[in-house]
Amino acid sequence: MSIAARREDFPLLATQMHGHRLAYLDSAATSQKPRAVLDAVRRYYEEDNANVHRGVYELAARATQDYEDARETISSFIGAAAEEIVFTRGTTESINLVARSYGEKVLGPGTNVVTSAAEHHSNLLPWQQAAWAHGAEVRYVALAPDGSVSPDALAEVVDAGTRVVALAHASNVMGTVADISAAAEIAHAYGAVLAVDAAQSVPHRPIDVRALGADFLSFSGHKMCGPTGIGALFGRADLLAAMQPVYYGGEMIEEVTLQGATWKETPWRFEGGTPNIAGAVGMAAAADYLRSVGMEAIHEHEVELANYLAQRIREVPGVVVYGPKGQRDSGVVTFNLDGVHAHDLATALDTEGVCVRAGHHCCQPLMRQLQASSTARASVYLYNDREDVDQLVDALVKAKEFFHRVAR
Ligand code: C6P
């Protein structure tokens, strides 16, 4: 299928922005939604809406079936079993859940969590807070110049006291991709678990949690063509089964007395309260949509486009591109224009219909290592094409001329 035809699946991409064709290059922040997802959510509300796991009537049974079918779809999308998928609000909540529940179980004085300075705050703060609450240490693996985490550097900091290695699969800033299987081997050799922040990988490449050796893996629906407010945590069945709930209340109990309570089996014990049923249905529709395009094809397309993008913006004098110097393996390209604040640049690009993100990208420690207060970031997805990239480059050249004229 041509990219032009694929773009037609995404109604919002037909929008004009400031009189220009929309070049949406911010899918690492959130992706656009195909009609298949919008239709699935609408169908759920129009035909099956009821609360799950409680009603004994037909409609409630249908809603429950939709919700549990969604779990099945999401689990098969990453090579897991259905009971290993906990629905959450997104990556942030998934990581907080693991850090609190698993952290409470394994962290204490003399133990450590290994992570890196390149992590998104959502994969840094939960681990810092969990470790410090239990008297454990947080260790940081040294980053390579391109911001990546090499297995050798990881092996330097993991030891017998390590209980958790928490790493991003794909960086939301640097465009680097970690060797997760190698990280898993290192973690497992010391009896630690590997918790993967897969917010930027599950939407973009084929994922098999078993092949990766991940023990926990977190991701968001909204970055993979699904709705906002829904995400998932994969946890190895034996690990989840030994963990305590984090959210107490309705839906997650077996029996409650005035003296205590018992919990449902996993994954339901982690899903206290009415879940985001429509969100789960939409996320599953998104996974089906991505699968129908093909995850390998999506990855190849993005890599080809990101390399074209990096090469083209490097040709603009005054542009600094961060991350890998050679071939890129993900769709994220971060850059700065000499003498222009990234926010000003992104605002100027917007006037030409180009959406890029600017700021610290929720990675302040990484920004300090880059010695940049902020950067601009373009990120591509399955619906982007060379026309988007060319529109960005033309807008960049125009912005550069404007800012440099103003500065003279
Ligand atoms: N990054 C970005 O523009 P949530 O917000 O929970 O869906 O995802 C958090 C998150 C965790 N890890 C990584 C690697 C991420 O990229 C993100 C979200 C967005 O880079 C919003 S800050």
Side-chain angles (χ1 to χ4, degrees):
M1 185 195 238
S2 73
I3 303 299
R6 189 176 302 155
R7 285 174 73 89
E8 296 196 352
D9 290 345
F10 295 81
L12 191 141
L13 293 179
T15 306
Q16 289 273 307
M17 195 54 66
H18 305 300
H20 296 274
R21 169 187 181 275
L22 177 68
Y24 186 75
L25 292 167
D26 197 19
S27 295
T30 198
S31 65
Q32 296 304 337
K33 321 301 174 198
R35 213 168 262 111
V37 168
L38 306 177
D39 290 348
V41 173
R42 169 173 282 274
R43 190 211 62 83
Y44 167 75
Y45 277 127
E46 286 185 350
E47 296 176 17
D48 289 355
N49 179 52
N51 211 329
V52 291
H53 301 145
R54 336 178 191 234
V56 289
Y57 49 89
E58 165 71 21
L59 206 55
R62 289 213 307 249
T64 303
Q65 190 68 46
D66 289 345
Y67 185 62
E68 293 306 326
D69 284 352
R71 196 188 310 276
E72 196 75 48
T73 301
I74 295 302
S75 66
S76 76
F77 189 64
I78 59 163
E83 76 264 21
E84 295 175 309
I85 295 295
V86 180
F87 279 121
T88 63
R89 285 191 296 129
T91 306
T92 303
E93 186 174 89
S94 299
I95 299 172
N96 273 276
L97 198 164
V98 185
R100 272 174 62 191
S101 180
Y102 190 72
E104 176 176 83
K105 213 170 111 58
V106 300
L107 296 176
T111 67
N112 65 73
V113 174
V114 171
T115 184
S116 92
E119 302 308 309
H120 188 282
H121 296 161
S122 292
N123 197 34
L124 184 68
L125 300 174
W127 293 112
Q128 286 182 339
Q129 295 300 312
W132 296 338
H134 299 293
E137 183 195 349
V138 183
R139 292 188 182 172
Y140 301 101
V141 54
L143 299 177
D146 67 358
S148 61
V149 171
S150 75
D152 287 349
L154 186 62
E156 288 285 309
V157 285
V158 176
D159 66 15
T162 306
R163 296 290 177 268
V164 179
V165 174
L167 289 176
H169 190 181
S171 163
N172 65 317
V173 178
M174 302 305 282
T176 50
V177 179
D179 184 343
I180 290 299
S181 309
E185 251 180 59
I186 295 165
H188 295 159
Y190 287 94
V193 299
L194 179 69
V196 182
D197 172 355
Q200 300 291 353
S201 63
V202 165
H204 302 286
R205 56 179 63 227
I207 295 288
D208 182 322
V209 287
R210 311 271 182 241
L212 287 175
D215 301 296
F216 295 105
L217 187 128
S218 303
F219 54 109
S220 302
H222 71 98
K223 292 187 200 289
M224 53 179 279
C225 297
T228 51
I230 185 77
L233 167 68
F234 155 77
R236 239 176 55 204
D238 58 315
L239 296 175
L240 286 182
M243 283 161 52
Q244 283 295 306
V246 168
Y247 305 110
Y248 298 97
E251 301 250 359
M252 48 76 70
I253 54 92
E254 203 68 70
E255 190 173 2
V256 178
T257 68
L258 292 182
Q259 283 70 42
T262 54
W263 318 129
K264 270 188 182 163
E265 298 284 289
T266 57
W268 301 282
R269 77 165 64 149
F270 298 107
E271 297 178 355
T274 300
N276 183 352
I277 309 158
V281 166
M283 186 173 177
D288 283 339
Y289 176 82
L290 292 176
R291 207 150 32 185
S292 75
V293 177
M295 292 310 294
E296 197 59 68
I298 290 172
H299 178 234
E300 271 172 31
H301 170 69
E302 288 179 24
V303 165
E304 193 273 325
L305 202 55
N307 278 294
Y308 175 68
L309 194 159
Q311 176 226 318
R312 286 237 41 217
I313 61 173
R314 270 203 184 96
E315 288 165 4
V316 180
V319 168
V320 183
V321 177
Y322 300 93
K325 293 272 173 281
Q327 258 315 92
R328 292 176 166 265
D329 191 28
S330 89
V332 170
V333 182
T334 292
F335 58 98
N336 261 325
L337 177 60
D338 190 24
V340 181
H341 193 281
H343 280 150
D344 294 336
L345 179 60
T347 306
L349 297 179
D350 176 50
T351 63
E352 300 291 318
V354 178
C355 303
V356 299
R357 186 171 169 185
H360 54 64
H361 313 291
C362 302
C363 292
Q364 289 185 355
L366 177 64
M367 289 292 128
R368 277 186 211 105
Q369 295 211 358
L370 294 177
Q371 297 182 324
S373 62
S374 65
T375 64
R377 181 192 69 188
S379 50
V380 300
Y381 206 6
L382 72 168
Y383 37 66
N384 292 114
D385 56 15
R386 286 192 174 213
E387 204 176 335
D388 293 319
V389 174
D390 295 341
Q391 195 172 330
L392 164 68
V393 175
D394 291 346
L396 198 55
V397 169
K398 222 167 157 178
K400 176 182 143 69
E401 281 163 6
F402 170 77
F403 285 116
H404 289 183
R405 197 167 50 237
V406 169
R408 267 203 299 271

